[in-house]
Amino acid sequence: MSELTVWTYDWVPEGPRGFVRDLRLRWACEEAGLRYAVGAVPFDGRETNHLEQQPFGQVPYLTDGDLEMFESCAGLLHLARKSETLMPRDPAGEAETVQWTIAAINSIEIVTLPWWFLKITGGGDDNLTDWVGKRLDQMERVLAGQEWLAADRFTVADLLMADVLRVPLIRSFGHRPASEAYVARITDRPAFEKARADQVAHFEAADRLR
Amino acid sequence: MSELTVWTYDWVPEGPRGFVRDLRLRWACEEAGLRYAVGAVPFDGRETNHLEQQPFGQVPYLTDGDLEMFESCAGLLHLARKSETLMPRDPAGEAETVQWTIAAINSIEIVTLPWWFLKITGGGDDNLTDWVGKRLDQMERVLAGQEWLAADRFTVADLLMADVLRVPLIRSFGHRPASEAYVARITDRPAFEKARADQVAHFEAADRLR
């Protein structure tokens, strides 16, 4: 097993395949040309069987030799320090990259994920829907004016923002051409395609064992 | 004006005083003994008057000489690189600190903030309420077993997690003695008290000008 290992479930149902968050770490490794192994924890009993590694019973977590960390965004920032492909090394480029990486989760996903969750569980609330629309409009304004979020080049911030925005329910929420073009462009990268195909294959292989 | 400047609104109504997120950056600077100035953008017209600095029309943002960054968590990570008080320098301590700093926003606040928002806007959803309860229970389990989140000492991860958990509606959501003791202990720190008092004074002073 290589030093860098991305941990995910051994299996998930078909619905989330291609969206489980180990994809973020796989994708970053592919972009950076970092060799990594994939480890698995059982999906059955997931809420209690790996709390030492992930106290919320989720995936992914990342191991790098003796280092171990959960939270996909923390893993991304760790990988970004290993490869300039993911984050520039100058202070301004780094600050901008970290800022937009955090914005993906704390300004966008913090609204879109609960909204998505309420939608798929049959709930929903107009106030939250309005908030999602407002945030997506604000992102549309940003993306209409620039090709990349940080440092005029692809960074881990684009990886994470595109992963947040590519969720089908979010992607089809209103017509925002700059955001749509951005998501299409970023997810058209070979590293994303490889990461997604590898994740889907990982879970499909487990189907045969169940 | 010193090199490091925490930017906030010139005024806010009484309700959010003591909770506006510039407090996170003030608090971190106080913990680390970093000198900083406070800058202000107008609260009136906030949704459009400083989009160049903060594309979602919010505060805070941080300037450090020529560097400029929004997202309080990005600012905290930036400050943490300036001071070992906020984050240990060994790779394991740093990884653990970053992991829990991200967890505060992406595992806890991602559920508690929308829930709080729906509550105060008169909405709410049982499914989201259940999710909040589950996440807070998971944090209670963690906090029952350890005094600090990372590296057996106070770090910026505790600062951010305590700031997320201290919101009154969250704090009074069920009985979780370890979490309550944690919030009480972390917010009892002189640096927090100073940051909060300074923020409240900043907004109160503006009352007299309106």
Side-chain angles (χ1 to χ4, degrees), chain B residues 173-194:
Chain B
F173 183 116
H175 178 60
R176 296 183 180 84
S179 302
E180 176 53 30
Y182 173 80
V183 171
R185 191 170 67 245
I186 306 292
T187 58
D188 200 37
R189 297 174 68 86
F192 171 79
E193 288 297 349
K194 169 126 181 31

Side-chain angles (χ1 to χ4, degrees), chain A residues 68-84:
Chain A
E68 183 174 292
M69 77 207 71
F70 63 90
E71 286 291 345
S72 58
C73 180
L76 289 178
L77 292 175
H78 179 76
L79 295 172
R81 295 199 181 283
K82 299 173 91 77
S83 166
E84 200 168 343

Side-chain angles (χ1 to χ4, degrees), chain A residues 64-164:
Chain A
D64 182 3
D66 291 340
L67 294 185
E68 183 174 292
M69 77 207 71
F70 63 90
E71 286 291 345
S72 58
C73 180
L76 289 178
L77 292 175
H78 179 76
L79 295 172
R81 295 199 181 283
K82 299 173 91 77
S83 166
E84 200 168 343
T85 306
L86 298 171
M87 181 162 71
R89 290 294 174 259
D90 65 292
E94 179 177 328
E96 216 180 358
T97 304
V98 173
Q99 155 192 290
W100 275 111
T101 302
I102 300 294
I105 56 173
N106 206 223
S107 282
I108 304 300
E109 196 176 34
I110 199 168
V111 191
T112 58
L113 183 78
W115 178 81
W116 169 88
F117 170 79
L118 291 183
K119 279 276 177 196
I120 63 158
T121 56
D125 186 287
D126 288 346
N127 289 329
L128 198 54
T129 302
D130 290 347
W131 196 10
V132 173
K134 181 174 157 184
R135 284 290 161 95
L136 294 179
D137 286 345
Q138 288 165 321
M139 271 316 295
E140 175 72 6
R141 196 190 65 82
V142 170
L143 293 170
Q146 60 198 75
E147 188 173 2
W148 312 104
L149 290 178
D152 292 324
R153 47 162 279 199
F154 175 81
T155 65
V156 72
D158 294 304
L159 184 161
L160 189 51
M161 184 66 82
D163 193 61
V164 167

Side-chain angles (χ1 to χ4, degrees), chain B residues 1-166:
Chain B
M1 193 167 285
S2 81
E3 190 136 6
L4 209 52
T5 304
V6 174
W7 292 83
T8 186
Y9 293 127
D10 60 348
W11 176 87
V12 298
E14 236 179 287
R17 293 179 192 180
F19 291 93
V20 182
R21 282 173 175 63
D22 63 271
L23 194 148
R24 294 173 175 178
L25 301 178
R26 291 172 181 264
W27 182 3
C29 289
E30 296 291 344
E31 292 281 359
L34 294 167
R35 290 186 52 143
Y36 64 102
V38 174
V41 292
F43 178 76
D44 297 334
R46 62 195 173 281
E47 301 222 340
T48 51
N49 64 12
H50 64 297
L51 292 178
E52 282 309 302
Q53 286 74 41
Q54 218 291 353
F56 306 103
Q58 298 189 301
V59 295
Y61 59 96
L62 179 71
T63 49
D64 182 3
D66 290 340
L67 295 185
E68 183 173 290
M69 77 207 71
F70 63 90
E71 286 291 346
S72 57
C73 180
L76 290 178
L77 291 174
H78 179 75
L79 296 173
R81 294 199 182 284
K82 298 173 92 79
S83 165
E84 202 169 340
T85 305
L86 298 171
M87 180 162 71
R89 290 294 173 260
D90 65 291
E94 179 176 329
E96 217 181 355
T97 304
V98 173
Q99 155 194 290
W100 275 112
T101 302
I102 300 295
I105 57 173
N106 205 222
S107 283
I108 304 301
E109 195 176 35
I110 199 169
V111 191
T112 58
L113 183 78
W115 178 82
W116 169 88
F117 170 78
L118 290 183
K119 280 276 178 196
I120 64 158
T121 56
D125 186 286
D126 287 346
N127 290 328
L128 199 54
T129 302
D130 290 347
W131 196 9
V132 173
K134 181 175 158 186
R135 284 290 162 94
L136 294 180
D137 286 346
Q138 289 165 321
M139 271 315 295
E140 175 71 5
R141 196 190 64 83
V142 170
L143 294 171
Q146 60 197 75
E147 188 173 2
W148 312 104
L149 290 178
D152 293 323
R153 46 162 277 197
F154 175 81
T155 65
V156 72
D158 294 304
L159 184 160
L160 189 51
M161 185 65 82
D163 193 61
V164 167
L165 294 176
R166 77 185 172 94

Side-chain angles (χ1 to χ4, degrees), chain B residues 10-12 17 200-210:
Chain B
D10 60 348
W11 176 87
V12 298
R17 293 179 192 180
V200 171
H202 168 86
F203 293 132
E204 278 178 0
D207 277 337
R208 294 191 284 276
L209 303 170
R210 284 177 83 91

